[in-house]
Amino acid sequence: MVYCFRISKGDGGSLQKLIGKHIRIRGIVQGVGFRPFIHRQIKAYDLKGWIRNTSFGAELVIEGTPENISSFVEELPVRKPPLAVIEKIHVSECEPCGFEDFRIIPSETGAEADTLVSPDICTCGDCLKELFDPKDRRYRYPFINCTNCGPRFTIIRNVPYDRKSTTMEPFAMCPECASEYRDIEDRRYHAQPDCCPECGPKLYWQEADGTRVYEEPVGAALAALRAGKIIAVKGLGGFHLACRADAPAFSHVLRERKKRDRRPFALMCADVSEVRKICLLSPEEERLITSPARPIVLLKKKEAASFSYISENDRIGIMLPYTPVHFMLLAEEIRTLVMTSANLSDRPIIYKNEEAAAGLAGICDGFLMHDREIETRCDDSVLWPADGGYFMRRSRGFAPYPITLTAPVPMILACGAEQKATFSLSKKEHVFPSQHIGDLKNIEAYENFREQIAHFEKLFSIRPERIVCDLHPDYLSSVYAAERSAAEGIPLVRVQHHHAHMVSCMADNDLTDPVIGIIWDGTGLGVDGTIWGGEFLAGDAAGYVRHGSIRPVRLPGGDRAVKEIWRTGVSLLADAFAENGDPAIPEQLIRRIAEDGNVPDQGPDTVRKMLAANVNCPASSGMGRLFDGVSAVLGILRLADYEGEGAILLEAAAEENRSLQYETAFYEDGDGIRRFDRRPMLREMASELLGGAAVSACAAKFMNTLTAAAAEQSIYIRKKTGLNEVVLSGGTFQNMYLLRSVTAVLAKDGFAVHHHHRVSTNDEGISLGQLMIAERQMRKN
């Protein structure tokens, strides 16, 4: 080892032995104030050398005394900036060169990208103070930001994260901004989106006729809102449609124009005090809603019937402002707004100005937009306030941050499913789940899916060695996988839907040994060609055994029964009383269904004829379909406006009573699958309903019975396999009543129970499981 010495400033000018260290830091360290932080630490420990951004994160060469370098390295993960994420620090020795100072040198280029990209971040407190300070040069400037906040993922085109690689490239910095950018003591040092009114993007108000107003655009937008109009607001990852939330009339107009009958809207409240006027808010929920990611959090209403024109169930999705424009809109007399994604008929969120002007014509009365391009669409994230945050949608504020694995994996592309589509790409020890794409049911969503795959592959320098997709060949994600596999000669792996769900939850919890998987959702193609969805599996990424399921229900009319859920209700009643019970009971309940205004005349009679002849009545063991049918039987909902509505309203209707349940029964079919027999439960439920039992009590007993069935099936599988770890996955476990009750009962029975916490439990999380199954096959081969 080569040593250098220097004369210390203290200790009478004694000689200090200097050593050199080469430090490589992997993680989110670009665009989050990491280099200014390093500079401060370097000064504090009297170190010399240099730092630069690299394709993997950041790289330093430093020299100083052994004691100071040791303290510097130890404090890196402890004192890092709040938005920086350090995943790995590699320190090696190097020869000291006698550096005279510490410098930031140009970013490394040409190497394979291996860096992480920061999600978009809510406007920080320091920027907010400046935003509303009349003496500040950025007073009411809608694009104020610094290294601690602002756009990241949605403006980045490539890495390393430099201004020329973002949509800020067209906006050359003025001398004052450039001075801040170069000053390592400044909060905006190397903040790539740094700008001001002199040099940055411009916000403007555009009338429906195309007229633009640059003078006080926020004032023009507020005037429109005060007048009860609907406006489009350009955010970080796309446009929102906004209107006042203080009276039903405004949201009714929005529903009518957007053709969104009952699907809940989200609200944006000015601050926590406004949230508390509407919803209950625990300290944990407050932590979630005020976090830098600023997700929509599904909160319990203070009054279940309140704001029914926003959300018909007992919860409302609420978020706080996260851009300067949002803060300015909500700074005056309007303190709460309806804020919903601007998209058309299940198409992706609109993110381009010209697309908004054309596509939203007739829906909104004006546009609050700007001239900075959005590179990547990104919807708002949605979380349940359970166990620190339970994803319903993982998107803005979280994407594209990866899932870190316990061991490296090859480069794999997993294409997900069809509903709530995402994809995942892997590289080394990281899996990069995409942001929310939406349902792959139209060409616009499919093109967005293809474009985002290409963007992620470029951003993270990934060249897939395998492509994996769902077993269902007609999903557009499967079509894409098959076509690309054939075109590029990349091996294709097809994975059963519920196996992928199980392994997704395993990977989410760093589990590798075999587990019991309780996988409940609406639909997924089984290996036998039938529709699965109420599954009890055992296995791991290498394979699984289907030990249990539920008795299939026939769906008269096929896919029509997913919306016209009264059809499933009639089917459940007909099956439950076909061989046992008083036949007068189902007749009375079916008559109630027939009298529902949403059910066509003679509809139930036609369905019964279809069932008797077994014409167009595919069978499904989907738990989601069982919830649909029971919701119809209980009179909660007969015609669904959106996927899962029946289940959501059933949960909302249930009383909090976990002590009572219906009978649980099981039988083994010809394939050795132990099935939960729902018929005794339906017979008992029907009798209670006709006897005057409360719907709230019946709904709770129904979910309690499913909980008991889950426990009995798990005990049965444990006896057969010796397995004691249980994972819960699938869209049905978005039901908080069921998630909590199943978890509690299984834990009481001695099981170790795991649910999702890094990806969504619905089909959005399925690509992670697909990827891990493909990785296991590659490793085996």
Side-chain angles (χ1 to χ4, degrees):
M1 178 181 289
V2 176
Y3 294 101
C4 285
F5 295 86
R6 70 182 173 198
I7 298 174
S8 69
K9 296 177 182 178
D11 301 324
S14 62
L15 286 178
Q16 292 180 321
K17 182 179 72 174
L18 306 180
I19 62 171
K21 293 290 183 181
H22 182 199
I23 303 173
R24 293 160 62 92
I25 302 171
R26 183 187 302 274
I28 296 182
V29 294
Q30 297 183 19
V32 291
F34 191 74
R35 286 182 291 182
F37 156 74
I38 289 291
H39 179 73
R40 292 191 296 272
Q41 295 297 97
I42 288 288
K43 288 180 66 176
Y45 288 106
D46 193 23
L47 306 177
K48 314 294 182 185
W50 55 261
I51 184 174
R52 66 177 175 180
N53 281 345
T54 68
S55 58
F56 57 80
E59 179 182 22
L60 298 87
V61 171
I62 58 173
E63 56 188 48
T65 65
E67 296 80 12
N68 283 0
I69 288 182
S70 176
S71 297
F72 170 79
V73 172
E74 287 176 3
E75 289 192 1
L76 280 178
V78 178
R79 302 187 64 180
K80 65 178 179 60
L83 299 178
V85 178
I86 295 177
E87 292 206 327
K88 188 178 293 184
I89 300 175
H90 181 268
V91 182
S92 60
E93 295 180 358
C94 64
E95 294 185 1
C97 302
F99 292 114
E100 295 183 356
D101 55 15
F102 185 80
R103 296 183 179 181
I104 293 173
I105 65 174
S107 301
E108 176 191 50
T109 58
E112 177 181 85
D114 201 19
T115 191
L116 302 181
V117 175
S118 171
D120 299 292
I121 297 156
C122 168
T123 306
C124 71
D126 289 332
C127 285
L128 279 178
K129 289 178 185 176
E130 295 172 349
L131 180 68
F132 292 109
D133 181 359
K135 298 178 181 178
D136 194 276
R137 72 186 189 94
R138 292 185 175 88
Y139 175 58
R140 295 185 65 82
Y141 181 57
F143 305 96
I144 189 170
N145 70 89
C146 69
T147 53
N148 297 320
C149 68
R152 297 293 190 275
F153 172 55
T154 54
I155 65 169
I156 191 168
R157 289 174 171 152
N158 211 338
V159 291
Y161 175 63
D162 292 320
R163 194 180 185 98
K164 64 184 180 182
S165 299
T166 73
T167 59
M168 284 298 295
E169 181 185 17
F171 304 98
M173 288 187 190
C174 67
E176 282 190 84
C177 286
S179 176
E180 294 171 334
Y181 182 85
R182 291 191 299 267
D183 182 1
I184 200 165
E185 302 291 343
D186 195 280
R187 198 175 84 249
R188 293 186 171 89
Y189 175 76
H190 278 226
Q192 304 305 333
D194 184 25
C195 57
C196 72
E198 296 299 317
C199 63
K202 298 289 187 279
L203 185 72
Y204 57 91
W205 170 256
Q206 182 168 307
E207 300 283 358
D209 63 5
T211 303
R212 291 185 181 182
V213 177
Y214 286 91
E215 188 77 21
E216 291 294 332
V218 174
L222 284 170
L225 288 168
R226 282 192 290 268
K229 294 183 177 181
I230 295 165
I231 69 169
V233 181
K234 189 175 182 180
L236 290 176
F239 281 81
H240 285 103
L241 291 171
C243 69
R244 286 167 52 184
D246 55 332
F250 309 121
S251 60
H252 287 167
V253 172
L254 179 54
R255 288 192 181 282
E256 185 177 301
R257 292 183 185 179
K258 201 173 183 238
K259 296 179 172 59
R260 180 170 172 154
D261 292 341
R262 294 193 302 272
R263 187 188 293 267
F265 286 140
L267 296 180
M268 180 177 281
C269 292
D271 52 36
V272 167
S273 65
E274 295 299 319
V275 176
R276 287 201 174 97
K277 293 176 182 177
I278 303 168
C279 292
L280 303 172
L281 194 67
S282 69
E284 176 63 16
E285 290 165 341
E286 183 174 347
R287 185 193 66 79
L288 278 176
I289 204 168
T290 59
S291 67
R294 282 294 199 270
I296 296 171
V297 181
L298 298 167
L299 300 172
K300 198 92 167 179
K301 296 177 186 175
K302 292 178 78 172
E303 301 286 342
S306 66
F307 286 89
S308 59
Y309 53 93
I310 302 296
S311 171
E312 61 185 342
N313 64 68
D314 61 342
R315 289 182 180 267
I316 296 184
I318 298 185
M319 58 182 158
L320 296 181
Y322 56 85
T323 72
V325 170
H326 296 153
F327 283 103
M328 288 191 287
L329 283 173
L330 292 164
E332 299 179 25
E333 72 271 26
I334 296 177
R335 305 289 286 166
T336 299
L337 288 171
V338 172
M339 196 73 83
T340 186
S341 297
N343 60 335
L344 306 172
S345 304
D346 296 321
R347 289 171 174 79
I349 187 172
I350 291 173
Y351 73 120
K352 293 182 177 180
N353 292 358
E354 59 275 17
E355 183 186 6
L360 300 177
I363 296 178
C364 65
D365 302 302
F367 305 83
L368 189 58
M369 58 173 94
H370 55 76
D371 56 358
R372 184 183 70 201
E373 290 185 10
I374 297 171
E375 179 68 15
T376 301
R377 306 177 206 248
C378 199
D379 268 288
D380 296 313
S381 293
V382 184
L383 280 84
W384 291 95
D387 298 329
Y390 185 72
F391 284 107
M392 181 176 179
R393 182 199 294 165
R394 183 185 185 272
S395 204
R396 178 193 49 77
F398 299 94
Y401 192 67
I403 305 299
T404 302
L405 305 175
T406 55
V409 297
M411 295 186 187
I412 301 170
L413 166 62
C415 296
E418 181 177 69
Q419 290 186 324
K420 299 176 176 62
T422 64
F423 59 85
S424 286
L425 283 154
S426 59
K427 183 178 184 181
K428 298 181 180 177
E429 68 274 22
H430 290 140
V431 174
F432 298 92
S434 73
Q435 72 274 35
H436 170 78
I437 302 293
D439 295 349
L440 292 182
K441 293 184 176 180
N442 53 65
I443 190 63
E444 293 87 354
Y446 183 58
E447 286 304 313
N448 185 40
F449 176 76
R450 293 167 58 95
E451 289 167 5
Q452 290 309 307
I453 289 175
H455 184 54
F456 270 62
E457 288 180 0
K458 180 181 73 170
L459 208 57
F460 302 112
S461 285
I462 295 176
R463 297 171 297 282
E465 302 167 40
R466 289 287 190 282
I467 300 177
V468 55
C469 67
D470 194 90
L471 196 62
H472 200 305
D474 296 332
Y475 286 174
L476 286 179
S477 55
S478 299
V479 172
Y480 169 86
E483 289 179 351
R484 185 169 176 191
S485 170
E488 299 182 22
I490 305 172
L492 177 65
V493 179
R494 296 185 184 272
V495 172
Q496 200 280 321
H497 190 89
H498 301 94
H499 185 205
H501 263 304
M502 181 180 80
V503 177
S504 174
C505 195
M506 290 178 64
D508 205 346
N509 291 277
D510 293 327
L511 302 175
T512 55
D513 293 334
V515 300
I516 297 170
I518 302 179
I519 316 300
W520 289 355
D521 65 1
T523 184
L525 181 63
V527 294
D528 58 1
T530 64
I531 304 169
W532 293 6
E535 308 311 311
F536 294 87
L537 312 179
D540 55 19
Y544 70 95
V545 175
R546 188 188 189 202
H547 286 280
S549 187
I550 65 174
R551 178 177 175 83
V553 57
R554 289 188 292 163
L555 305 177
D559 286 345
R560 288 186 65 180
V562 177
K563 186 175 180 66
E564 299 173 17
I565 62 175
W566 61 267
R567 293 170 175 265
T568 310
V570 173
S571 179
L572 287 176
L573 290 170
D575 185 40
F577 289 88
E579 299 174 0
N580 291 290
D582 181 355
I585 293 176
E587 288 297 326
Q588 293 182 62
L589 289 176
I590 290 173
R591 194 178 308 124
R592 289 185 184 180
I593 292 174
E595 292 169 355
D596 190 303
N598 291 308
V599 177
D601 293 342
Q602 307 303 316
D605 289 339
T606 301
V607 162
R608 285 200 282 187
K609 291 175 183 177
M610 294 172 68
L611 290 166
N614 200 23
V615 173
N616 192 19
C617 294
S620 167
S621 64
M623 185 62 73
R625 303 292 76 81
L626 179 58
F627 266 89
D628 285 347
V630 170
S631 180
V633 169
L634 294 178
I636 295 170
L637 186 73
R638 277 19 185 301
L639 184 66
D641 180 50
Y642 56 92
E643 189 255 337
E645 184 181 14
I648 291 169
L649 296 184
L650 188 150
E651 180 189 4
E655 65 185 26
E656 194 68 30
N657 183 349
R658 301 176 191 269
S659 60
L660 300 176
Q661 67 175 73
Y662 297 115
E663 178 185 348
T664 57
F666 302 87
Y667 66 93
E668 193 168 298
D669 66 14
D671 296 322
I673 308 298
R674 187 174 188 256
R675 295 186 181 272
F676 168 60
D677 190 346
R678 50 180 163 66
R679 291 174 295 183
M681 175 185 70
L682 263 296
R683 288 194 289 268
E684 192 176 347
M685 181 190 297
S687 297
E688 284 189 350
L689 272 177
L690 292 180
V695 168
S696 59
C698 294
K701 288 179 71 173
F702 165 64
M703 291 188 288
N704 295 342
T705 307
L706 295 181
T707 298
E712 291 182 50
Q713 288 280 54
S714 298
I715 292 169
Y716 165 78
I717 297 171
R718 179 166 60 185
K719 288 178 180 177
K720 290 187 68 174
T721 64
L723 299 175
N724 200 58
E725 302 268 353
V726 179
V727 297
L728 309 177
S729 190
T732 299
F733 285 111
Q734 292 175 126
N735 180 313
M736 292 297 103
Y737 186 106
L738 203 58
L739 177 71
R740 292 187 174 109
S741 62
V742 170
T743 300
V745 169
L746 288 177
K748 188 177 179 181
D749 287 331
F751 290 98
V753 189
H754 308 273
H755 60 68
H756 288 277
H757 59 99
R758 293 187 289 179
V759 298
S760 302
T761 191
N762 57 44
D763 280 5
E764 190 178 276
I766 210 169
S767 59
L768 173 61
Q770 291 175 338
L771 191 147
M772 299 308 297
I773 292 168
E775 184 276 335
R776 184 63 175 267
Q777 289 189 18
M778 292 176 70
R779 184 151 41 96
K780 181 180 178 182
N781 294 334

